[in-house]
Amino acid sequence: MTVITKADLVQSIQDSLQYISYYHPVDFIKAMAEAYEREESKAARDAMAQILINSRMCAEGHRPICQDTGIVNVFIRVGMNVQWETDQSLDDMINEGVRRAYMLPDNVLRASILSDPAGKRINTRDNTPAVIHTELVPGDTVEVHVAAKGGGSEAKSKLAMLNPADDIVEWVLKTVPTMGAGWCPPGMLGIGIGGTAEKAMLMAKRSLMDPIDIHELQARGPSSRVEELRLEIFDKVNSLGIGAQGLGGLTTVLDVKIMDYPTHAANKPVAMIPNCAATRHAHFVLDGSGPAELHVPKLEDWPKIVWEAGSGSRRVNLDTITPEEVASWQPGETLLLSGKMLTGRDAAHKRIRDLFAEGKSLPEGVDLTNRFIYYVGPVDPVGNEVVGPAGPTTATRMDGFTEMMLEKTGLLGMVGKAERGPAAIAAIKHHKAVYLMAVGGAAFLVSKAIRKSRVVAFEDLGMEAIHEFEVEDMPVTVAVDVNGESVHETGPKIWQSKIGKLPLAEA
């Protein structure tokens, strides 16, 4: 009988979460590098270059790949011959490992977990609790898959209770375009087929923790219906032309994973969950000999890529910006931002809305007249950092506040990731404002452009407080111009037409 100690499990959970915060899986790096080499869309290629450079920087500096360091998911298979040496439950031990990992002073990870989700939504401050799935199996070891799942990709999870005769591929191809780019492609699609609704979702999530091997499958050919589906969906989703960050291009997914399970004769449950460009997962086995040993990748595993803004990039001084200057920017144009901007996410926007509803003014230090707001919740700094990794969050979550912000604050522009919805685009066009896109999944790289940072309002909101950043040459793309033209609408259509394998998807 194997004895597993509390100390070994806690340490292994802590180590694995720190490990995946700054090391991409090597199979992911190789797949992304291959996609980068094949890519013909300049915008998508630039985005992938930033993701790969950011990944190498994080591996060298041991800092988070993305500012959203995720909600912890644990799939644990406990051998029935294992004996535990502990005074805590299995869940409590895992959560202790999570707590220690996210509060480690050398690499502080962002606490994103809120208790009372339907009420006060109070940050737990240590990223606990994890979402834990436990299975008892024969044997004398403990096998663990641990992942840190970003909120942007998790928000795009889909479930359909199809009829038995419905076509799964047709549903996937209809559904993926509705997911937008908030899941930060290129990444992976995890699909669960069968069982019940919750079983399908669990399989979709679990499948994302397997290595990328689609090219091996292409080389040897399928040997089952599931493998046939993987290949068909991989090819047809990439033919949609959505591309990196939704800008249009050849690669939208790096792999498609599928798990299935027997189901009721009347049902065909299908779940789909994407993994973003900040793919983070690890696998280890405890056998009683001590904590898990995680293989440290070599820097040679990362491609040597240098990204520089093109000669046509426009430098912008945010401190002297005018509406007339903004009106001259073109969709898809690369800008290098310097000067001061404010930050704000969901909670800050809601507080601003509540202040206006009560007839109150904005807090001191929050003047948005002819200024830009950056949708970000940064990681706390360590050492001599000005700010921790500070990549953009999904902009569509702020769509419902956009008209209010543009009308009542004098805001000139916004910076975030992914597309904007119709209401936000209409507001941008009406107020002659602009939306700029930063690359999701390049948070450490983006943070290097931030020279100063200070909290100016709502400090109690933690990472969602309003900060003032002073930036230098922060790279962004004009995603929606003052006329309401969106590159997230034009780019994929152009590239889907070029790829030419499917008719244009309806909006």
Side-chain angles (χ1 to χ4, degrees):
M1 180 173 288
T2 300
V3 177
I4 308 289
T5 67
K6 167 186 171 180
D8 285 350
L9 178 60
V10 170
Q11 189 68 50
S12 299
I13 294 292
Q14 174 185 320
D15 291 348
S16 62
L17 288 170
Q18 278 284 314
Y19 176 96
I20 63 177
S21 77
Y22 45 74
Y23 288 139
H24 265 129
V26 173
D27 56 274
F28 177 88
I29 291 299
K30 290 181 178 178
M32 182 70 84
E34 290 172 3
Y36 168 79
E37 293 297 335
R38 291 193 307 270
E39 188 55 66
E40 296 177 16
S41 162
K42 181 183 182 303
R45 187 176 169 86
D46 283 352
M48 285 192 278
Q50 290 186 52
I51 290 168
L52 288 165
I53 291 168
N54 179 76
S55 179
R56 184 185 177 99
M57 289 172 61
C58 294
E60 292 175 318
H62 284 194
R63 291 295 273 141
I65 294 164
C66 180
Q67 79 288 339
D68 181 355
T69 48
I71 183 169
V72 177
N73 288 239
V74 177
F75 287 81
I76 183 166
R77 292 163 55 92
V78 180
M80 288 185 285
N81 292 331
V82 166
Q83 179 176 335
W84 292 97
E85 187 179 287
T86 181
D87 57 353
Q88 290 185 310
S89 70
L90 182 60
D91 282 15
D92 285 346
M93 288 188 287
I94 291 171
N95 282 320
E96 180 60 28
V98 173
R99 183 176 296 109
R100 294 184 187 183
Y102 277 74
M103 301 180 75
L104 192 71
D106 291 344
N107 181 39
V108 179
L109 305 181
R110 196 183 81 182
S112 303
I113 305 308
L114 310 180
S115 63
D116 191 15
K120 294 182 178 179
R121 297 179 66 85
I122 300 170
N123 198 301
T124 64
R125 300 290 181 177
D126 59 10
N127 223 58
T128 64
V131 178
I132 303 166
H133 307 287
T134 304
E135 185 179 358
L136 285 175
V137 297
D140 54 6
T141 61
V142 174
E143 181 182 11
V144 182
H145 286 86
V146 60
K149 192 69 164 56
S153 59
E154 190 72 2
K156 304 302 180 180
S157 303
K158 304 294 181 182
L159 172 69
M161 298 300 292
L162 299 183
N163 292 318
D166 289 344
D167 190 299
I168 292 171
V169 176
E170 181 181 325
W171 176 78
V172 170
L173 295 179
K174 180 178 70 175
T175 303
V176 168
T178 70
M179 291 159 50
W183 59 282
C184 286
M188 296 165 61
L189 290 180
I191 297 175
I193 303 171
T196 53
E198 79 280 7
K199 179 67 174 180
M201 293 298 282
L202 279 175
M203 291 188 293
K205 178 65 67 65
R206 171 61 186 83
S207 72
L208 290 170
M209 299 183 198
D210 288 338
I212 293 174
D213 64 355
I214 195 73
H215 296 305
E216 296 172 21
L217 177 56
Q218 287 173 323
R220 67 171 171 81
S223 59
S224 66
R225 177 55 183 155
V226 162
E227 290 185 344
E228 290 173 355
L229 283 172
R230 284 182 62 194
L231 291 174
E232 184 178 0
I233 292 171
F234 176 78
D235 181 57
K236 290 184 175 179
V237 167
N238 282 327
S239 295
L240 292 172
I242 294 168
Q245 303 291 300
L247 295 170
L250 301 179
T251 300
T252 302
V253 291
L254 300 172
D255 201 347
V256 175
K257 297 296 186 183
I258 300 178
M259 296 180 72
D260 66 356
Y261 194 83
T263 192
H264 191 284
N267 300 144
K268 188 190 282 186
V270 182
M272 180 165 60
I273 303 178
N275 230 2
C276 62
T279 293
R280 292 169 297 217
H281 59 84
H283 170 240
F284 61 85
V285 176
L286 299 178
D287 60 7
S289 62
E293 294 185 13
L294 300 167
H295 171 72
V296 177
K298 301 174 183 178
L299 287 180
E300 303 92 83
D301 293 327
W302 277 263
K304 294 181 179 179
I305 294 173
V306 177
W307 179 86
E308 294 181 356
S311 57
S313 301
R314 188 191 306 229
R315 280 189 157 80
V316 173
N317 185 343
L318 295 172
D319 298 331
T320 60
I321 192 73
T322 64
E324 292 73 24
E325 185 179 353
V326 167
S328 71
W329 297 347
Q330 299 300 309
E333 184 177 8
T334 300
L335 308 178
L336 298 174
L337 305 181
S338 295
K340 295 177 181 177
M341 65 169 66
L342 295 178
T343 74
R345 286 171 42 111
D346 315 61
H349 279 73
K350 182 178 183 299
R351 283 214 181 161
I352 290 172
R353 183 181 66 188
D354 292 345
L355 287 174
F356 288 151
E358 296 168 6
K360 298 179 180 179
S361 58
L362 293 174
E364 184 179 350
V366 182
D367 182 359
L368 290 165
T369 305
N370 284 344
R371 300 191 72 180
F372 279 70
I373 193 167
Y374 181 26
Y375 301 147
V376 61
V379 176
D380 290 341
V382 299
N384 61 358
E385 289 180 341
V386 170
V387 67
T393 196
T394 307
T396 47
R397 296 205 315 276
M398 269 54 73
D399 280 4
F401 300 104
T402 301
E403 173 62 34
M404 173 198 72
M405 294 292 286
L406 294 176
E407 179 186 359
K408 294 181 179 294
T409 71
L411 185 69
L412 192 54
M414 300 144 282
V415 183
K417 78 170 183 182
E419 74 287 344
R420 304 308 299 263
I425 292 175
I428 290 168
K429 181 179 180 180
H430 175 71
H431 292 279
K432 295 298 179 183
V434 70
Y435 168 61
L436 311 176
M437 191 210 80
V439 173
F444 196 36
L445 178 63
V446 170
S447 72
K448 296 308 178 184
I450 302 169
R451 304 307 185 197
K452 294 181 181 178
S453 172
R454 65 186 181 98
V455 175
V456 296
F458 309 150
E459 186 172 5
D460 63 297
L461 293 179
M463 62 94 174
E464 294 209 63
I466 295 180
H467 296 70
E468 182 182 72
F469 285 170
E470 187 168 335
V471 300
E472 182 179 340
D473 286 348
M474 176 179 170
V476 295
T477 299
V478 180
V480 181
D481 72 352
V482 296
N483 298 311
E485 182 175 333
S486 169
V487 298
H488 288 100
E489 293 178 358
T490 58
K493 288 181 179 178
I494 290 169
W495 281 93
Q496 188 180 69
S497 178
K498 286 184 177 182
I499 294 169
K501 293 183 179 179
L502 292 170
L504 291 178
E506 295 182 1

